[in-house]
Amino acid sequence: MNRALRIAAVVVMCLPLALLFSAHPAYAPIVDPCKSAVSVSGSAFIVLVCPKGDGDALSSVGATITLTVRDNAGVGVAGIPKTDMWLVGCNDGLLLCGGSQGSLADRATNALGQTTFSNEPNAGGCDTGLYVVAQGIVIQQSGSCVPYCLPIASRSPDYKSAGAPGPAPCSGDVRCPDGKVSMADYNWFITHLRRADSPAATYFACADYAQPFGQISLADYSKFVVHYAGTGHACPL
């Protein structure tokens, strides 16, 4: 053995085992949905979401979500990419643009395993609440360890489908969003707008976008037409 190889062998023999195996650690943090935590300040929120992503940001109504991802030892998991954390409708009522890409976290988790959601999901449909998902796992409610549905209702002007190449159209108040705000959505919305020529229009929460909530009026119409705008807003290509 030449002198250079003998020196290398001595160095390797003297290195601490922890350093030798640090490139291949035995410990790999796995998200524990019951020891992780999610919270939002407040008891109930309503946000308008649009496939284009220009509706109500969560932060604009005080509904910023804080997520703390922990492993089964209760240790915060740092460095989870923001693309591995997203929001979904509690009742599967939202059509997210690009799948999970339509509702990503603001940033990767920090040293404590924390991140936030403050933007608006790019989405169509309607749902009464939001789940937080981390690496494909729905975060649970602390203590009871059941999926935690955050009290954030999401309502979109994209509620109906215009047909091919999207989903088949649906009638009445059945939900079938197609990722764009079209005449099909307008024709549905107008059936719930109470006006002089339709004083008996029935209230439907998914068409209620603006305060005062509990009635559908010109305030809701004004919000709707911003996203309809003749050609409609759609998921980014």
Side-chain angles (χ1 to χ4, degrees):
M1 181 182 294
N2 62 37
R3 183 170 182 273
L5 288 177
R6 287 199 301 273
I7 293 173
V10 171
V11 170
V12 170
M13 291 175 65
C14 293
L15 285 174
L17 288 177
L19 182 58
L20 282 175
F21 291 101
S22 62
H24 303 283
Y27 169 70
I30 298 175
V31 173
D32 187 316
C34 297
K35 292 186 177 178
S36 298
V38 63
S39 64
V40 62
S41 296
S43 57
F45 303 92
I46 298 172
V47 293
L48 182 149
V49 300
C50 178
K52 188 179 178 180
D54 63 345
D56 301 328
L58 297 176
S59 59
S60 72
V61 298
T64 296
I65 299 166
T66 299
L67 167 66
T68 304
V69 182
R70 300 188 181 99
D71 63 15
N72 58 9
V75 178
V77 182
I80 298 178
K82 72 175 189 176
T83 51
D84 283 0
M85 298 169 288
W86 60 91
L87 305 173
V88 297
C90 295
N91 302 296
D92 199 26
L94 296 181
L95 174 68
L96 296 171
C97 294
S100 63
Q101 301 301 304
S103 62
L104 300 179
D106 295 333
R107 61 191 68 85
T109 53
N110 61 18
L112 298 176
Q114 292 183 336
T115 189
T116 57
F117 296 82
S118 63
N119 298 314
E120 175 227 348
N122 288 49
C126 179
D127 211 303
T128 57
L130 294 172
Y131 285 141
V132 177
V133 181
Q135 295 186 335
I137 302 172
V138 176
I139 302 303
Q140 313 289 301
Q141 189 165 21
S142 178
S144 60
C145 201
V146 296
Y148 185 26
C149 183
L150 293 166
I152 304 173
S154 302
R155 302 168 182 175
S156 176
D158 170 33
Y159 191 83
K160 291 292 187 179
S161 175
C170 56
S171 60
D173 287 328
V174 176
R175 182 182 60 243
C176 55
D178 60 0
K180 61 180 180 290
V181 186
S182 67
M183 179 63 77
D185 300 298
Y186 179 85
N187 290 339
W188 164 77
F189 171 77
I190 208 73
T191 64
H192 294 290
L193 177 63
R194 184 166 295 183
R195 54 196 192 280
D197 60 344
S198 60
T202 56
Y203 176 81
F204 189 60
C206 289
D208 191 358
Y209 313 122
Q211 294 183 347
F213 294 113
Q215 61 183 10
I216 299 172
S217 64
L218 287 178
D220 301 290
Y221 179 81
S222 297
K223 275 207 167 188
F224 179 91
V225 296
V226 166
H227 302 278
Y228 176 57
T231 56
H233 287 190
C235 291
L237 298 176

